[in-house]
Structures are given as structure tokens and as C-alpha cells.
Amino acid sequence: MYEINETHDPNLKSWVESANDPNTDFPIQNLPFCRFRHPSMDVVEEGDYHPGIIVGDVVLDLWYRSWWADTPAPYEFRGGAEYDGVTPVQIRNETWNEFRKSVSNSLSEAAHPKTREAMGKDMFPRAECEFGLPLFIGDYTDFYCSIYHATNVGSMFRPDNPLLPNYKYVPIGYHGRASSIVISGTDIKRPHGQNRSDAEKPPVFIPCKNLDYEMELGFFVGKGNELGEPIPISEAEEHIFGVCLVNDWSARDIQAWEYQPLGPFLAKNFATTISPYVVTMEALAPFRTPAFERDTDDPQPLEYLGDEQNRKFGGLDINLEVYIQTEKMRNENIEPHRLSLSNTKDLYWTIGQMLTHHASNGCNLQTGDLMATGTVSGKEKSERGCMLELTWRGTEPIELPSGETRRFLEDGDEVIMKGYCEREGFRRIGLGECRGRILPAE
Ligand code: MN
């Protein structure tokens, strides 16, 4: 599952010219999955999207599949007249990977003119398409797997004891809410909530004052497990289909008052934004890294959370960038300003460990379930993946090129997240964008 094959060949070019642009996120080596629709399609109902694959500036429609009739289906569709969109009921990586080879062949320069012609009819310009959530997300779990983020946040609240004793043993997480996950580009309304910033007085119910984002990597369950059947660490990655960008919007003032003793609740579940494309684990094969190198006095993971493969290849080398563009910056045509650049290789736990831990008590994971890593922060100040850390709880405001400052997000601010992988000897691939703009509270 970490093997490099002909689909990763850096010299492979596509007859889709835009896929050969060195700056594209979507060369033929990437081929992420999505669900989309185009104005020209016969849309049956609101939620009706077609499954697709992104290559360069186009979306390849997988609905009709006339051009790959001889290859296995990437997944089964839930049939019948009452479908609420296209919902894969199971995604198996080995089937997907076969399918990917066939799509890669058909999109390569070497493809037969008849293949090109047939495929061309199933292609739409990406800029004209509207994207839905890439899979039906039944459940969503958010982890807390950056030790730098956990240490920074912990030290603001507990200066003497920033990291709790369970951190190096347990991939810490909480159950989030799937219903409020929205696709990139959706506006985010500032939530109301209980605020008790004045400890002398009772709490007040007001619009959130300390609205924040969290830069995270999300990953989708492809193949589920039966209730009561844990997933061994050696098989964890067979259950992970691919990754996306996640913005875990966070209301810090609400969070500070409500989080004890049961953890995050309304401070988190008013909205979570994800990017529309699933970059598959197969596409990420060239960008695997060893798991986090623990300090010599740190405990090793308990046996069920570690094996040789995970230690050697369980990490991911994905660069994550966060930009902000305020309303003033938009009006004055000032480019979005970069707030941070971090990397998933700095996560204390691997995504395989997160998944295995999640299922270790027999909890059943299902196709389409989304998990997120938690804020991805690094050692340096420029690698802090949320405003809480960047402004140290609002005490060190950020200066913007417009002359404005920010402690937390203001109405009209747009947060733009990007992700990409680069490695010598391989083609750069990207995750696309995850955007959201803050609307005033009602
Ligand atoms: Mn989070």
C-alpha cells in the first residue's frame, strides 16, 4: 500500500493539457475523487451529484463510464429510484487502485484517440461545476494529534502542566457532528453561545467573540469494520480511502466555558468546512514518511498501536497553508495573507494509529466516516495552525498588510486553506482549497 507504480511516474503526461501545468494541484499522478454537478446535467433532485475524478481543470464524470466498461467498478452504488445522491456503500482500496490504473492509462498521452473522444464527452470544466460533500458522512471524529498544538494550548490554560499524562499513550479525540459539515465556499454565520469571560458575573448568551479556525487534515473511511471487530494496526490503511482539508471552526469563548467535564460541544459543531476532493492514499504513496520520532524518554506506543510498517511509512508529508483575506483587503485588492505553513509529518500519531485506536474497542467505522487529525501545528511560530496559538489567546495580535490587526476572526474575513505534497523525483500534487467566509451573527 506504500508502493510506487506506473501511475506515480513523474514523466507521465496527460492529453488533458491543463494537467501538465507544473502548478496544477491535479496532474495525472493525483486523480482525486469528488461528487459534482454541472449546469448542463439533468439534475433530478437537490442532492443529486455525480461521482467524478479531477484531472487538471476538468472533472471526469464517472456516472456513465462508457469509456471504461472493461474495468471493475470502483464501488457499488446504492441502486433504486430513491437514491439521495450517489452514495458508495463500500470502497475497497485494491479495487480503487485498479480503477485508478485504468483511468491513468486512458488519460495518458499514449491513450487511443477513440478513448480520448469517448472520455472527452464525459468531461466538464471544473470552474463551472458545483461540488457536494465527496461522500455521505455518517459520523465525524476529531482528534488532537499535534503535540505542538496540544502543548501550546495546554500551556495557556495550565502553565505548569501543559500536556496531560494520557497524551503520549492515547490518540485523544472526541465525537464531532456530521450534519454541520459543509463544503468549501459555504459562508459561516457567527454563532451565538454562552460566554463567561467575566468570572465575577453569570454567563451571557451573545454572539461568539473569539471565533477561530483550525487547520486540520481529514481522512475518509473507505472500508468499514463490523461492530465488535477491531482493526489491527497492520490493516489500518486498507480502511482509509483518502484525505481532504478540514477547517474545524472553533468558538474559543464558548469552548472555554463549556468544555469541562465532557469536552467540546457547541463551540465546534456549528460548522466544519472540508475541501471537495478526496486525494487517495494511493496518490499519496510517494509522500509517506516515518511516524513521528519520539523523544528517547517518551513511552513507545502500546503494542496494538504500533508495528514496523507504521513506524517506517505511517507518516504523511503534506504541507498545509492558511491564508486570510479581510473585507478591507478584498476591497483594496490586497492578496490573501499567509498566516501559517505546517506539515502533517509533525503529528505525534499517524492516521493509521488514529483509525486503529478508534476501532480498538470494537466501535464500527463505516464507509464515508470522516476523521480529522486535530490542528496541525509545528515547533515554530510560523507553523501554528490556529489563531488561538498564533495570537496566544488574543494577547499578541497579528498585523495584516492592510494595516488591520486580528486577535480572532472578524465578520467578512475569509479563511483559505491549501495543501500540497512535494518530493524530489516525483510530481507535485495538491489537495485543492478549503474556503469559508464569516457572516455576522443574526
Ligand atoms: Mn479540531
Side-chain angles (χ1 to χ4, degrees):
M1 72 191 96
Y2 311 109
E3 276 165 23
I4 306 296
N5 59 41
E6 65 268 28
T7 67
H8 305 103
D9 178 353
N11 299 315
L12 198 60
K13 289 215 160 75
S14 175
W15 53 265
V16 175
E17 233 357 275
S18 56
N20 304 325
D21 177 344
N23 295 318
T24 183
D25 276 355
F26 311 113
I28 190 171
Q29 290 82 357
N30 193 348
L31 304 179
F33 176 83
C34 67
R35 285 170 70 237
F36 79 105
R37 62 186 173 200
H38 185 267
S40 68
M41 286 175 170
D42 290 337
V43 172
V44 182
E45 281 175 51
E46 251 319 271
D48 188 14
Y49 294 90
H50 286 192
I53 282 184
I54 309 286
V55 58
D57 291 341
V58 303
V59 186
L60 172 64
D61 192 346
L62 301 184
W63 186 257
Y64 302 107
R65 298 169 290 163
S66 49
W67 42 268
W68 57 277
D70 57 335
T71 62
Y75 46 69
E76 305 151 38
F77 293 111
R78 201 175 274 166
E82 339 167 289
Y83 69 82
D84 52 350
V86 180
T87 306
V89 291
Q90 186 86 280
I91 301 174
R92 293 181 190 279
N93 285 354
E94 55 286 13
T95 318
W96 175 268
N97 298 347
E98 279 306 304
F99 176 63
R100 173 184 154 93
K101 276 184 193 165
S102 137
V103 173
S104 172
N105 276 332
S106 304
L107 285 171
S108 78
E109 279 181 327
H112 193 277
K114 282 199 168 155
T115 307
R116 298 185 187 199
E117 201 193 322
M119 270 183 133
K121 288 179 188 155
D122 283 344
M123 284 180 174
F124 297 90
R126 184 159 53 93
E128 294 172 11
C129 293
E130 182 197 331
F131 293 90
L133 296 174
L135 294 164
F136 173 78
I137 303 170
D139 275 303
Y140 163 51
T141 300
D142 194 22
F143 285 89
Y144 193 58
C145 287
S146 162
I147 195 167
Y148 302 109
H149 172 72
T151 306
N152 281 338
V153 173
S155 62
M156 290 174 214
F157 294 91
R158 296 176 303 272
D160 308 328
N161 182 24
L163 215 55
L164 293 169
N166 57 7
Y167 193 83
K168 293 175 178 174
Y169 292 94
V170 182
I172 301 292
Y174 67 95
H175 283 129
R177 185 152 183 97
S179 68
S180 51
I181 296 175
V182 296
I183 203 72
S184 175
T186 307
D187 289 335
I188 305 299
K189 200 197 299 173
R190 181 180 297 272
H192 276 73
Q194 285 200 23
N195 175 310
R196 200 193 184 183
S197 39
D198 187 342
E200 304 299 309
K201 292 184 184 153
V204 285
F205 187 75
I206 56 172
C208 167
K209 283 187 167 169
N210 296 348
L211 188 56
D212 200 358
Y213 60 83
E214 292 190 336
M215 172 77 255
E216 308 196 8
L217 184 76
F219 55 101
F220 283 99
V221 172
K223 186 170 77 174
N225 60 306
E226 295 295 323
L227 183 62
E229 303 283 337
I231 298 170
I233 185 74
S234 60
E235 294 170 19
E237 297 228 2
E238 295 168 24
H239 294 262
I240 303 174
F241 177 45
V243 306
C244 67
L245 301 168
V246 173
N247 183 346
D248 177 22
W249 301 100
S250 299
R252 300 301 186 191
D253 43 351
I254 301 172
Q255 187 178 0
W257 171 234
E258 75 170 5
Y259 89 105
Q260 286 176 322
L262 287 185
F265 185 31
L266 304 184
K268 298 283 191 175
N269 69 8
F270 57 95
T272 305
T273 306
I274 68 170
S275 57
Y277 318 121
V278 184
V279 173
T280 62
M281 295 316 291
E282 182 75 345
L284 291 166
F287 309 103
R288 303 310 301 251
T289 64
F292 188 89
E293 199 178 325
R294 296 184 168 215
D295 281 348
T296 42
D297 45 358
D298 277 5
Q300 283 307 305
L302 296 186
E303 207 174 324
Y304 77 98
L305 284 178
D307 73 352
E308 186 64 15
Q309 286 280 95
N310 180 71
R311 239 184 333 273
K312 277 189 181 159
F313 307 109
L316 283 164
D317 183 356
I318 304 177
N319 295 295
L320 299 172
E321 291 181 319
V322 183
Y323 294 80
I324 188 170
Q325 193 180 35
T326 67
E327 197 168 343
K328 184 169 187 235
M329 291 167 74
R330 268 195 307 281
N331 292 339
E332 296 177 2
N333 289 317
I334 302 172
E335 292 290 302
H337 171 74
R338 192 168 83 180
L339 294 171
S340 66
L341 165 63
S342 57
N343 191 296
T344 50
K345 64 176 189 257
D346 289 328
L347 290 169
Y348 197 77
W349 299 98
T350 66
I351 58 172
Q353 288 172 321
M354 293 178 223
L355 180 118
T356 287
H357 181 65
H358 201 315
S360 62
N361 63 347
C363 172
N364 51 330
L365 309 176
Q366 295 180 294
T367 300
D369 282 359
L370 179 67
M371 298 185 195
T373 56
T375 308
V376 181
S377 294
K379 224 182 253 174
E380 306 301 324
K381 251 187 150 171
S382 59
E383 297 174 316
R384 293 176 179 171
C386 66
M387 270 195 161
L388 179 71
E389 285 174 88
L390 281 171
T391 70
W392 211 254
R393 232 179 158 178
T395 59
E396 301 168 22
I398 299 164
E399 288 181 24
L400 300 177
S402 54
E404 298 168 286
T405 59
R406 284 292 179 271
R407 293 168 53 250
F408 288 98
L409 297 171
E410 303 283 338
D411 295 343
D413 288 357
E414 183 165 37
V415 177
I416 304 149
M417 298 176 165
K418 300 181 188 189
Y420 58 91
C421 305
E422 284 173 336
R423 187 180 151 201
E424 187 79 37
F426 288 94
R427 185 71 157 87
R428 173 198 185 278
I429 64 169
L431 278 66
E433 283 187 350
C434 178
R435 290 175 175 261
R437 196 181 289 186
I438 307 301
L439 298 184
E442 267 172 16

